Amino acid sequence: MTRLRRSMLFVPGNNPGMMSDAHIYGSDALMFDLEDSVTLREKDAARLLVHHALKTIHYGECERVVRVNPLSTPFGKADIEAMVAAGVEVIRLPKTETAQDIWDTETEIERAERKYDIPVGQTCMIAAIEGALGVVNAYQIASASPRLVAIALGAEDYCANLKTSRSLEGSELQYARGAIVVAARAAGIDCIDTVFSDVNNEEQLIKETRMIKQLGFDGKSVINPRQIKPVHRVFMPTREEIMKAQRILAASREAETRGSGVVALDGKMIDRPVVLRAERTLELAYANRAVFEEEEA
Amino acid sequence: MTRDQAFYSALTALDRQAYVPGENKRLYDKDPSSLKNRMERENKIVESLEKAVELSGLKDGMTISFHHHFRDGDHIVNMVVDTLARMGFRDLRLAPSSLSDVHAPLIQHIKNGVISHIETSGCRGALAKAISQGLMDDPMVFRSHGGRAAAIEEDEIHIDVAFLGASSCDPFGNANGYSREGEEKSMCGSMGYARVDAQYADTVIVLTDNIVGYPNVPFGISQRLVDYIVCVDDVGDASKIMTGATRFSTNPHDLMIAEATSNVIVHSGYFYDGFSLQTGSGGASLSVTRFLREAMIEKNIHASFALGGITGAMVKLLEEGLVRRLLDVQSFDLDAAQSLKNNRFHQQIDANYYANPYRRGAAVNQLDVVVLSALEVDTSFNVNVLTGSDGIIRGAVGGHPDTAAGAALSIVVCPLMRGRMPSVRDHVNTIVTPGDTVDVLVTDQGIAVNPRRPEVAERLEKAHLKVTPIEELARRAERITGKPDPLPFGDKIVGICTYRDGSVLDLIRNIT
C-alpha cells in the first residue's frame, strides 16, 4: 500500500510541549519545522531538540518529516546532518527553485547517511515550492531525485513573490496548484497543498480542501490539530464510492484468475486507471476506520 | 366552651389531656394583622449580622457552616468570619461545603485563633497553599459531597450555626439561588449543598441581598428551617458567581479525550434509550456532552436523566429532548441556573438526595455513566483530584468518589501528561477516589480499562477501540517526562482525605 499523505501537521521545532505528543492527533505526517517558525537565535537549540525527539519519542504511524533551513543559510548543512543522524524519514526542503537545489540537498543527505551508517537512499525528500521560479521548474524539481516522495506548495512566500496576496477563494494560487499537481503526477510522486491559516474557520477549510482534492492533491498541510479531522473527512470516500471500488477490484481479481487482461463490470469494460483509482479509494477508506465500522454495522 | 363530667372521665380513661383555652398561646394567639403588615413587622429579618449571631447563641468552639454555590464570587464566608472575629469569637470550627481562591483572608483568622479547624470538600489558592505549608495545627478534613451530607446527618459534623447566602429570600425565610419574583442581583441556581446545612443546623441564618415577596416559590430552603434573615449589600460578585454558558474547550487534547470518551460510552454497553449520565465541568468532560449529543441524535437514544453539577451544555440536551430530566445539586453556569428557574423538568436536589451513601436511593446509585476529570491517576486506577503535582492542595473532592462508586460505569478522563508532569503514574499523591470504583481511563494517548471490568474491555475492543494496559500508559508518559523527583513532604499532617463513610483514605503532609 502506498503511504497516505492527507494531512501534514506543522510542529514548531522549538516547542517541546507540542513535540512530545504531536502524533496523537492522527495526522498522516508530522512536519517538525526548523525554518520559519524558529527565530535565528534558537536555530541550534531547535535542531538539538528535534534530533532528540526523533530519537526518543515513538511517533507511531506518523511519517516524520523535518523542514530544514535552506543550504544557502549557515544552518542548512547542520540541520540535514542532525536529522539524518536521528533517522528522520523525510527531509523537507523549503523554497525549492531548481533541480540543482534538490541535487545539492541530496549530496548532503548522502554524506550524512554514509557518516551515520544509514543505508544510502533511505532518507526521502519533499520539496516545497514557494516561488514563481519553482512553479515554472516544477517538473524538473519533481523528477530530480528518486528520493523525492512529494512536492508541496508554500503559498505565503509564493504570493509575496507574485506581488499579490492570499484571498479566501484562492484565485491567485490557481496556476501554481495546477502546475504542481501536473508536475507531481508526471513525476509519479505525491503533491501536498499549502496551509489554511484561519484555524477557527472550519467551513472554509473544508471548502478549500474539497477544491484541492478535486484538483488532484493528495493532502494538505495543517497548522492546528483541530484541522486534521475535517481534512481527513474530505478525503474519505463515500459509502457508494467504496462499494463500487470493491466491486471493481473484485472484477479485476476475477479477470486476473481467468488470465484475461480485460476487466469487465456490469457488461462494461473497465480501464486500468479506473482499477488504480479503486485501489486508492479503498486505501483511503481503510485509513478512515469509521467507514469500516459502518460497513459492519 | 363547656364540657360535661362524662367528657373528662372519658378522657381520663383514654389517658389524654383536654384542650384548655389560653394554655398554649402559640397555638391560637391570633394575629389580626394582614399579610402585608406581617411581612413588614413580624418577619424573621433582623437588623444586623451581629444581632443574628447574638440571637443564634453562637459560642467559642462551635461549628459554623457555609455553602459554596457562590464559588469564587462568594462574599459571605469572609464577611461572616470577619464579623465573628470582630465580635471576639475564638476556636471556631469551619464546615463549608467547599472553599476557593476568594477565601484567602481566612489565613489571618486562622493565625489569630478565630478558626481552629476546617472541614471542607476542597480548598484552593493562597489559603490552600498556606494549609499545605502547615498553617493549621489541626489537619483540614476533606469530605466528598455525599460524605459531608452523611457526616451531617449522622451528627459526625454537628452544625451549630449555618450562615447561608441566598440569591433571594422572602421575609419568612423561603430562600433560593434564583427567584421567580423579579430579577435577582446575582443568581447561583441550585442550592443543593446548602439545603443539608439548613435541615440539620441548630440555627439557620440566611443572608441575602434580595428580599422578595412571600411566598418565594419554588424555594431551595424552606421557611420551616430558617431562624433569622440578614440583609446584606451583596452576597457576592455576580460576575464571579456565574458566567454565561461554560464554553466548550478548543484545546485539541481536550477534544480528543472528549471524542474518545464519547466513543467509549457509545460502545460500553450502557448507551441505550433511557440511560442516565453525569458529566463534569472540566474542559474534556464538558466537551463529552457535545460529542455524545451527536451520537444520541444519530442513534436516536435519549437519556432518562442527567445528574450533578449541571452545565448549559446539558441544559441544551434537555431542551432538545435528548435528556428527559435534570437533577441539579449545583448549577455550573448561568444557562443552567436560568433553566432551573424556568424549566419544570429541571429539578433542584440536595446533597443527601444526590450522594449520601447511607440514604436509600441516592441519585448517584441510579447513574449508568459518569465522566470525571482527574489531576492524577495511578496504575491501580486510584484518582487524585485534590493535590497538585507539587503536593500542594489545589482542588476539591467534590462528588468524585460518590459518583464513581454509584455509577455502573465510571470513566475518568485526563491528558497523559500536563506540561512536563505525567498524569498517569505508579502512585498518585493523594488517593481521593479508590481505584476499585473506577472502570475506564481515557487519555489523549489511549484508553485503559480496569481489569475488574473485562466485559467492558471486550465491548470496546469489539468496536475497534484500542484498549491499552494502564501500566503501558504510565510507561509511555514516563518515557517522555522522566521520573519526577520525590516531593519535599514534611512530617506534619495537614490534611485528612476521607471516604464517603468517613473512613480515612489518605493523609496529606506538609510541603517544606
Side-chain angles (χ1 to χ4, degrees), chain A residues 21 24-25 229 289 296, chain B residues 250 253 256 259 445 464 480:
Chain A
D21 57 5
I24 65 175
Y25 305 108
K229 270 258 159 69
R289 208 193 51 222
E296 283 165 23
Chain B
T250 53
H253 289 257
M256 276 196 68
E259 191 172 8
Q445 301 209 31
H464 306 290
I480 305 217

Side-chain angles (χ1 to χ4, degrees), chain B residues 127-298:
Chain B
L127 174 63
K129 194 169 177 198
I131 299 280
S132 272
Q133 286 164 346
L135 174 69
M136 298 189 82
D137 293 330
D138 218 9
M140 198 174 227
V141 176
F142 292 95
R143 296 179 195 271
S144 69
H145 291 323
R148 179 178 187 267
I152 292 171
E153 190 188 49
E154 305 279 303
D155 214 28
E156 203 177 311
I157 302 175
H158 181 90
I159 302 172
D160 294 293
V161 184
F163 295 90
L164 305 177
S167 306
S168 71
C169 187
D170 67 33
F172 300 101
N174 293 299
N176 217 340
Y178 58 91
S179 176
R180 290 183 184 164
E181 312 291 319
E183 283 299 301
E184 52 291 274
K185 278 176 76 180
S186 53
M187 72 194 304
C188 69
S190 176
M191 295 197 55
Y193 302 126
R195 293 170 68 170
V196 178
D197 301 40
Q199 195 182 345
Y200 291 96
D202 289 347
T203 304
V204 175
I205 301 173
V206 168
L207 300 96
T208 188
D209 52 12
N210 185 27
I211 297 283
V212 298
Y214 181 87
N216 182 25
V217 286
F219 45 81
I221 292 171
S222 154
Q223 62 178 19
R224 293 183 43 75
L225 303 171
V226 176
D227 297 284
Y228 308 108
I229 301 163
V230 177
C231 297
V232 294
D233 291 341
D234 55 38
V235 293
D237 177 347
S239 68
K240 288 183 183 163
I241 290 175
M242 300 215 124
T243 48
T246 320
R247 283 181 52 223
F248 282 122
S249 171
T250 53
N251 177 326
H253 289 257
D254 285 349
L255 294 180
M256 276 196 68
I257 293 171
E259 191 172 8
T261 305
S262 171
N263 286 333
V264 166
I265 294 172
V266 168
H267 298 290
S268 64
Y270 294 99
F271 192 59
Y272 61 94
D273 197 43
F275 83 118
S276 61
L277 82 157
Q278 175 167 348
T279 59
S281 62
S285 65
L286 177 69
S287 298
V288 171
T289 321
R290 178 170 126 190
F291 290 101
L292 201 59
R293 174 180 170 271
E294 288 165 19
M296 289 170 81
I297 292 170
E298 190 193 321

Side-chain angles (χ1 to χ4, degrees), chain B residues 211-415:
Chain B
I211 297 283
V212 298
Y214 181 87
N216 182 25
V217 286
F219 45 81
I221 292 171
S222 154
Q223 62 178 19
R224 293 183 43 75
L225 303 171
V226 176
D227 297 284
Y228 308 108
I229 301 163
V230 177
C231 297
V232 294
D233 291 341
D234 55 38
V235 293
D237 177 347
S239 68
K240 288 183 183 163
I241 290 175
M242 300 215 124
T243 48
T246 320
R247 283 181 52 223
F248 282 122
S249 171
T250 53
N251 177 326
H253 289 257
D254 285 349
L255 294 180
M256 276 196 68
I257 293 171
E259 191 172 8
T261 305
S262 171
N263 286 333
V264 166
I265 294 172
V266 168
H267 298 290
S268 64
Y270 294 99
F271 192 59
Y272 61 94
D273 197 43
F275 83 118
S276 61
L277 82 157
Q278 175 167 348
T279 59
S281 62
S285 65
L286 177 69
S287 298
V288 171
T289 321
R290 178 170 126 190
F291 290 101
L292 201 59
R293 174 180 170 271
E294 288 165 19
M296 289 170 81
I297 292 170
E298 190 193 321
K299 297 195 163 30
N300 194 26
I301 279 177
H302 305 78
S304 53
F305 74 93
L307 174 66
I310 297 295
T311 57
M314 207 51 101
V315 165
K316 198 171 162 225
L317 297 193
L318 174 74
E319 287 167 356
E320 289 180 318
L322 293 170
V323 171
R324 297 201 178 94
R325 300 287 185 275
L326 297 183
L327 299 178
D328 187 342
V329 70
Q330 178 183 15
S331 315
F332 276 136
D333 54 34
L334 212 50
D335 283 10
Q338 288 289 1
S339 164
L340 181 62
K341 179 172 169 174
N342 299 319
N343 192 325
R344 67 199 166 98
F345 296 121
H346 186 158
Q347 172 75 36
Q348 180 171 166
I349 59 170
D350 67 36
N352 265 321
Y353 186 106
Y354 172 49
N356 184 335
Y358 297 140
R359 282 280 174 117
R360 282 182 286 265
V364 291
N365 296 342
Q366 273 81 53
L367 273 179
D368 280 316
V369 179
V370 66
V371 180
L372 296 161
S373 309
L375 290 173
E376 293 176 326
V377 183
D378 71 19
T379 47
S380 308
F381 287 86
N382 295 313
V383 179
N384 171 22
V385 286
L386 193 52
T387 52
S389 57
D390 51 5
I392 289 173
I393 298 162
R394 53 162 290 175
V397 179
H400 208 285
D402 302 312
T403 49
L409 183 78
S410 45
I411 303 172
V412 166
V413 298
C414 72

Side-chain angles (χ1 to χ4, degrees), chain A residues 192-242:
Chain A
I192 299 164
D193 189 44
T194 187
V195 297
F196 180 73
S197 324
D198 187 353
V199 176
N200 292 318
N201 192 348
E202 190 176 310
E203 198 186 328
Q204 188 62 31
L205 169 71
I206 291 171
K207 230 167 138 183
E208 184 170 298
T209 309
R210 282 207 189 109
M211 187 264 288
I212 61 108
K213 181 190 171 219
Q214 188 58 36
L215 281 179
F217 277 96
D218 295 282
K220 194 161 176 57
S221 300
V222 295
I223 48 165
N224 187 293
R226 279 192 277 144
Q227 295 182 319
I228 296 169
K229 270 258 159 69
V231 168
H232 284 193
R233 235 176 271 139
V234 170
F235 278 96
M236 182 172 108
T238 64
R239 194 187 167 89
E240 287 71 34
E241 284 170 335
I242 294 167

